[in-house]
């Protein structure tokens, strides 16, 4: 059959191109524009070259915030992934418990981020919050407003409360897709509970775990709303993550040049780390 | 190795079964010999796999007991019963090598490593995967994977029985034949009690000493391949075994004479049956003689299948199949006779004998 050659296909992709242009390319290019120029208002721009990038990369403020980000993501991944697997393994596979558990699990995911922040902000308050008040009443000193450790614990517990469900649901989807014959064969082969997990469940969950890991890493690395609502980046700068720092620079100080440079660096870090994780994890798959 | 007793086993998947139709497996009460090779044969959904899973202990029967060598094992787990089972679709441990896959059931039972190596090497040789022993099992083809599953079933030397649940479904026809002969050889060599579930009659008849034919949750006949062929106990067996299946014709019976819609056939015995039962005459196409003598038929089609011809005809207003030798003559005015020794009489689908 003769193949038809014409340019109609361009019309098909045009809406997507327009959408992507307005939602991603144009804003990104605006940021690039700011990052290499300096302005004092009146729409007058002066070429700055790589000055802003050098300034950001040489500031302690940037490296401190980046370190906080990495520690935060590291901690929540180390807790949420194993905890999510554990909960998914113990969820019912059949019966009335299934819809109940699924709805129950998705609840935290349905709550808007700033509401999650507000809930925990109030929950943890020493004067009126149930958690803060109770802890104080039973003699455990707790105050997320002026204690660095307490502020971090609050943010981490809040993130676990909010996002472990996502890991659970993904793992659960991986688990229910395992045919019964695998479990029956394992029984017949005399496999222990651990061997079933190690050789059947974990390998079958590998792909969804990769997705869970990437999603949780990217999201936690970009965390903004919840710490902004709960701690506002304090006490001091103890919970000032890159995103909070960025907003302070851009909107607070109105340093558009350094803020633009910081956004681009921030973007590249997430892109690079996600790419590394993805490559490492899929390569270990391909090697076998 | 063990003798298996199924003592009034019944099973229903739903709770509180009341009617007979609530049971996926109707009452089974049989003894299977130690070292026997049994095939469970029947169409999909007839309860074969249910019965197999009850024997292996993956399923608890709703009623009845299972005994291995006289010992009640109904409440024992699969592991305690020491059963090996091979499933319809390959089950392999993706992350392990082929060797480790085969060693897995032995290592779980803390068999010494030298013994593990001896057994695994032997099985690898048998399934022809020695050259892939150190490779990950993940990249193999479906039939290689299924060979690993088979191998895991055979690797333990001390099992009570080995159960096969349609294990050759995913294997291509040539390999099927090779594996089946290997299984048969192993059976002769080691005398395992083997139970083999299949819906393929050739597979069942070539593999087993005794074939258990199941239909609608019920065992309709247990017998050697010859018994199933010559004396099917139930019209279903006649229809299911043999290609083409047995001709079953509605009949009126008076003493030892049979009236097939006007055509009369005399029997060598007088069947005994309850009044009002639905009577049928069964005759295999191989025992219908086509010639110039006998009862008239109208031929509608002749299928040539090489060594034989299958003649499709209408006899007494019913379709009938006749097997004719490849150079057998088909007369212009065809008539048929039945081999009197090959006639079976059925009352309400069950075979009835008679006093000679």
């Amino acid at each position: 059959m003769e193949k038809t050659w014409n340019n109609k296909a361009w019309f098909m992709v045009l809406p997507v191109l327009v959408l992507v242009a307005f939602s991603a390319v144009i804003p990104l290019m605006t940021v690039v524009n700011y990052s290499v120029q300096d302005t004092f208002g009146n729409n007058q721009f002066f070429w700055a070259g790589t000055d802003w990038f050098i300034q950001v990369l040489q500031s302690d403020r940037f490296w401190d915030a980046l370190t906080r980000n990495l520690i935060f993501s590291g901690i929540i991944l180390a807790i949420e992934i194993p905890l999510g697997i554990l909960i998914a393994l113990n969820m019912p596979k059949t019966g009335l418990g299934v819809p109940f558990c699924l709805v129950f699990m998705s609840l935290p995911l349905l709550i808007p981020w700033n509401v999650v922040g507000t809930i925990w902000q109030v929950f943890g308050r020493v004067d009126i919050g149930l958690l803060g008040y109770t802890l104080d009443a039973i003699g455990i000193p707790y105050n997320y407003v002026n204690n660095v450790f307490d502020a971090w614990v609050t943010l981490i517990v809040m993130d676990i409360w909010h996002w472990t469900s996502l890991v659970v649901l993904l793992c659960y989807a991986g688990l229910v897709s395992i045919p019964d014959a695998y479990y029956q064969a394992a029984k017949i082969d005399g496999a222990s509970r651990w061997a079933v997990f190690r050789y059947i469940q974990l390998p079958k969950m590998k792909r969804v775990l990769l997705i869970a890991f990437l999603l949780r890493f990217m999201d936690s690395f970009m965390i903004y709303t919840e710490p902004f609502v709960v701690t506002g980046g304090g006490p001091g700068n103890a919970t000032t993550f890159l995103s909070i720092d960025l907003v302070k620079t851009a909107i607070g100080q109105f340093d558009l040049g350094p803020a633009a440079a910081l956004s681009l660096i921030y973007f590249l870090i997430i892109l690079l780390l996600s790419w590394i994780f993805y490559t490492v994890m899929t390569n270990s798959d391909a090697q076998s | 190795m063990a003798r298996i007793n199924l003592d009034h086993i019944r099973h229903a998947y739903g709770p509180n079964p009341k009617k007979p139709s609530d049971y996926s497996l109707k009452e089974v009460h049989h003894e299977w010999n130690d070292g026997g090779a049994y095939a469970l044969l029947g169409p999909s959904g007839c309860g074969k796999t249910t019965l197999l899973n009850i024997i292996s202990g993956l399923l608890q029967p709703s009623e009845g007991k299972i005994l291995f060598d006289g010992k009640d094992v109904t409440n024992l787990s699969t592991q305690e019963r020491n059963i090996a089972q091979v499933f319809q679709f390959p089950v392999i441990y993706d992350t392990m090598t082929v060797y480790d896959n085969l060693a897995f059931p032995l290592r779980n039972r803390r068999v010494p490593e030298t013994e593990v190596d001896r057994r695994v090497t032997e099985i690898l040789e048998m399934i022809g995967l020695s050259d892939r022993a150190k490779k990950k099992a993940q990249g193999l083809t479906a039939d290689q994977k299924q060979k690993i599953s088979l191998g895991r079933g055979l690797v333990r030397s001390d099992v009570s029985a080995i159960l096969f649940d349609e294990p050759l479904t995913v294997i291509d026809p040539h390999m099927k034949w090779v594996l089946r002969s290997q299984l048969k050889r192993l059976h002769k060599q080691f005398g395992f009690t083997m139970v083999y579930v299949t819906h393929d009659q050739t597979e069942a008849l070539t593999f087993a000493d005794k074939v258990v034919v199941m239909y609608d949750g019920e065992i309709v006949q247990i017998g050697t391949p010859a018994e199933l062929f010559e004396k099917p106990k139930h019209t279903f067996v006649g229809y299911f075994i043999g290609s083409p299946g047995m001709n079953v014709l509605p009949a009126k019976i008076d003493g030892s004479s049979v009236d097939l819609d006007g055509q009369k056939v005399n029997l060598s015995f007088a069947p005994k049956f309850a009044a009002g039962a639905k009577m049928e005459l069964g005759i295999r196409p191989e025992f219908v003689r086509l010639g110039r003598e006998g009862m008239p038929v109208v031929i509608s089609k002749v299928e040539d299948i090489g060594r034989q011809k299958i003649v499709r005809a209408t006899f007494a207003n019913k379709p009938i199949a006749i097997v004719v030798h490849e150079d057998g003559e088909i007369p212009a005015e065809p008539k048929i006779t039945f081999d009197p020794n090959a006639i079976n009489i059925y009352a309400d689908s069950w075979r009835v004998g008679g006093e000679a």
Side-chain angles (χ1 to χ4, degrees):
Chain A
M1 203 184 86
E2 193 77 10
K3 269 190 184 167
T4 320
W5 285 100
N6 61 36
N7 288 327
K8 269 187 198 156
W10 290 107
F11 288 105
M12 308 291 180
V13 289
L14 198 64
V16 178
L17 284 180
V18 171
L19 203 70
V20 170
F22 276 96
S23 69
V25 180
I26 295 174
L28 189 67
M29 284 303 124
T30 318
V31 173
V32 172
N33 194 29
Y34 276 115
S35 74
V36 291
Q37 298 187 81
D38 197 358
T39 177
F40 304 100
N42 295 335
N43 255 349
Q44 282 181 302
F45 289 92
F46 304 92
W47 180 250
T50 55
D51 287 1
W52 298 132
F53 289 92
I54 293 167
Q55 188 192 316
V56 167
L57 289 174
Q58 282 176 342
S59 70
D60 289 343
R61 204 173 133 174
F62 166 75
W63 291 107
D64 289 349
L66 178 62
T67 313
R68 280 179 217 119
N69 260 101
L70 289 172
I71 293 174
F72 183 76
S73 291
I75 292 176
I76 66 110
L77 282 175
I79 297 175
E80 284 177 16
I81 300 282
L83 186 65
I85 294 175
L86 195 73
I87 295 174
L89 285 175
N90 289 301
M91 272 182 37
K93 303 281 182 292
T94 50
L96 274 177
V98 176
F100 178 77
C101 279
L102 287 178
V103 169
F104 190 70
M105 276 294 148
S106 355
L107 276 182
L109 298 174
L110 299 173
I111 302 173
W113 297 343
N114 56 342
V115 176
V116 172
T118 313
I119 291 173
W120 282 81
Q121 201 258 352
V122 175
F123 190 45
R125 276 176 65 163
V126 186
D127 49 354
I128 56 166
L130 182 63
L131 175 73
Y133 189 84
T134 313
L135 282 177
D136 250 25
I138 59 173
I140 300 167
Y142 168 84
N143 190 334
Y144 67 80
V145 181
N146 56 29
N147 184 306
V148 174
F149 181 76
D150 292 350
W152 270 78
V153 169
T154 310
L155 290 184
I156 287 167
V157 171
M158 176 175 69
D159 198 86
I160 292 168
W161 176 84
H162 192 181
W163 288 113
T164 304
S165 301
L166 180 75
V167 183
V168 173
L169 292 178
L170 284 168
C171 288
Y172 185 74
L175 282 175
V176 292
S177 72
I178 302 175
D180 260 355
Y182 277 81
Y183 296 113
Q184 297 180 334
K187 254 192 215 167
I188 280 155
D189 290 340
S192 60
R193 183 69 195 83
W194 167 250
V196 170
F197 174 70
R198 170 70 186 75
Y199 297 112
I200 296 175
Q201 292 173 323
L202 202 55
K204 296 280 172 197
M205 277 196 293
K206 208 168 154 188
R207 277 165 203 288
V208 286
L209 272 179
L210 172 66
I211 295 169
F213 190 89
L214 276 177
L215 282 178
R216 282 316 300 130
F217 168 72
M218 291 188 291
D219 269 356
S220 66
F221 204 76
M222 297 188 293
I223 189 164
Y224 173 75
T225 319
E226 298 97 317
F228 178 77
V229 174
V230 178
T231 63
N237 278 330
T239 55
T240 300
F241 298 110
L242 280 173
S243 56
I244 293 180
D245 197 33
L246 177 63
V247 173
K248 277 185 187 168
T249 315
I251 318 282
Q253 301 158 222
F254 228 73
D255 285 337
L256 295 182
L262 178 58
S263 322
L264 288 177
I265 294 169
Y266 193 10
F267 168 64
L268 289 176
I269 292 173
I270 293 187
L271 198 65
L272 181 73
L273 286 176
S274 300
W275 179 76
I276 290 173
F277 283 141
Y278 184 78
T279 321
V280 168
M281 290 168 102
T282 46
N283 267 11
S284 71
D285 212 29
Q287 263 164 19
S288 47
Chain B
M1 301 309 104
R3 188 181 79 240
I4 302 172
N5 277 83
L6 302 168
D7 186 357
H8 299 282
I9 298 280
R10 289 214 277 182
H11 187 75
Y13 283 100
N16 306 322
K18 289 187 185 72
K19 309 185 293 292
S21 61
D22 288 345
Y23 288 92
S24 309
L25 187 66
K26 289 169 194 141
E27 185 161 303
V28 173
H29 183 72
H30 278 293
E31 175 173 305
W32 292 358
N33 295 330
D34 183 10
Y38 292 88
L40 292 179
L41 178 66
S44 304
C46 70
K48 295 171 299 199
T49 301
T50 306
L51 182 56
L52 198 72
N53 287 343
I54 286 173
I55 297 173
S56 67
L58 294 171
L59 212 58
Q60 283 278 327
S62 313
E63 288 160 39
K65 283 190 298 184
I66 305 159
L67 297 94
F68 284 6
D69 281 336
K71 190 172 144 260
D72 188 349
V73 295
T74 318
N75 295 315
L76 293 187
S77 71
T78 306
Q79 209 172 338
E80 289 162 315
R81 292 185 194 188
N82 205 11
I83 285 274
Q85 187 168 355
V86 180
F87 298 90
Q88 184 171 9
F89 294 102
V91 174
I92 54 154
Y93 304 106
D94 292 333
T95 52
M96 293 189 204
T97 62
V98 172
Y99 184 97
D100 290 337
N101 256 284
L102 293 173
F104 192 59
L106 297 175
R107 286 181 179 151
N108 284 331
R109 290 177 173 77
R110 314 207 183 289
V111 173
E113 202 60 27
T114 48
E115 172 69 8
V116 170
D117 190 62
R118 199 181 61 74
R119 293 289 304 165
V120 171
T121 316
E122 194 181 320
I123 296 292
L124 277 170
E125 197 65 43
M126 197 196 91
I127 58 176
L129 287 175
S130 300
D131 52 329
R132 292 178 187 268
K134 297 285 170 234
K135 287 235 175 72
K136 280 257 171 85
Q138 204 171 19
L140 301 177
T141 61
D143 59 325
Q144 286 170 327
K145 285 181 182 174
Q146 187 62 339
K147 283 199 237 167
I148 296 175
S149 302
L150 275 172
R152 271 208 323 274
L154 299 169
V155 76
R156 283 150 59 200
S157 52
D158 61 336
V159 288
S160 305
I162 307 181
L163 312 180
F164 301 91
D165 188 357
E166 306 193 26
L168 303 182
T169 313
V170 292
I171 296 193
D172 62 56
H174 164 69
M175 202 59 216
K176 251 184 198 176
W177 195 82
V178 173
L179 282 176
R180 209 161 53 216
S181 342
Q182 277 173 340
L183 285 178
K184 203 144 178 141
R185 208 192 64 225
L186 273 171
H187 177 248
K188 289 224 174 74
Q189 197 177 343
F190 298 107
F192 298 118
T193 308
M194 285 187 174
V195 181
Y196 191 104
V197 165
T198 179
H199 57 243
D200 177 346
Q201 50 162 316
T202 324
E203 218 165 278
L205 298 175
T206 51
F207 173 83
D209 314 329
K210 284 276 179 69
V211 178
V212 180
V213 183
M214 296 188 69
Y215 176 58
D216 200 17
E218 221 172 339
I219 292 182
V220 285
Q221 187 169 8
I222 299 184
T224 61
E227 284 166 1
L228 296 182
F229 188 76
E230 285 159 14
K231 295 189 165 46
K233 268 195 186 162
H234 189 277
T235 48
F236 172 76
V237 180
Y239 148 81
F240 199 69
I241 307 257
S243 175
M246 190 166 70
N247 298 304
V248 178
L249 305 161
K252 282 197 203 94
I253 297 186
D254 183 17
S256 66
S257 111
V258 183
D259 180 350
L260 299 165
D261 202 12
Q263 301 294 332
K264 297 267 195 253
V265 175
N266 284 318
L267 301 175
S268 54
F269 63 94
K272 242 174 63 174
F273 58 92
K278 187 182 75 162
M279 299 306 294
E280 284 158 314
L281 176 146
I283 178 104
R284 291 213 171 265
E286 289 82 354
F287 299 113
V288 181
R289 307 260 173 274
L290 189 64
R292 295 176 205 284
E293 304 283 308
M295 301 166 285
V297 289
V298 179
I299 294 175
S300 48
K301 196 164 69 174
V302 178
E303 294 164 17
D304 197 331
I305 54 165
R307 301 281 307 275
Q308 292 170 332
K309 279 183 252 188
I310 298 170
V311 177
R312 305 276 180 191
T314 309
F315 166 70
N317 302 321
K318 295 281 173 226
I320 189 169
I322 307 156
V323 169
V324 181
H325 191 261
E326 60 174 328
D327 26 65
E329 179 204 7
I330 297 170
E333 273 180 31
K335 299 208 166 140
I336 53 167
T337 50
F338 295 158
D339 182 338
N341 295 320
I343 295 176
N344 291 296
I345 298 295
Y346 296 90
D348 285 336
S349 301
W350 292 93
R351 186 173 181 272
V352 287
E355 303 90 313

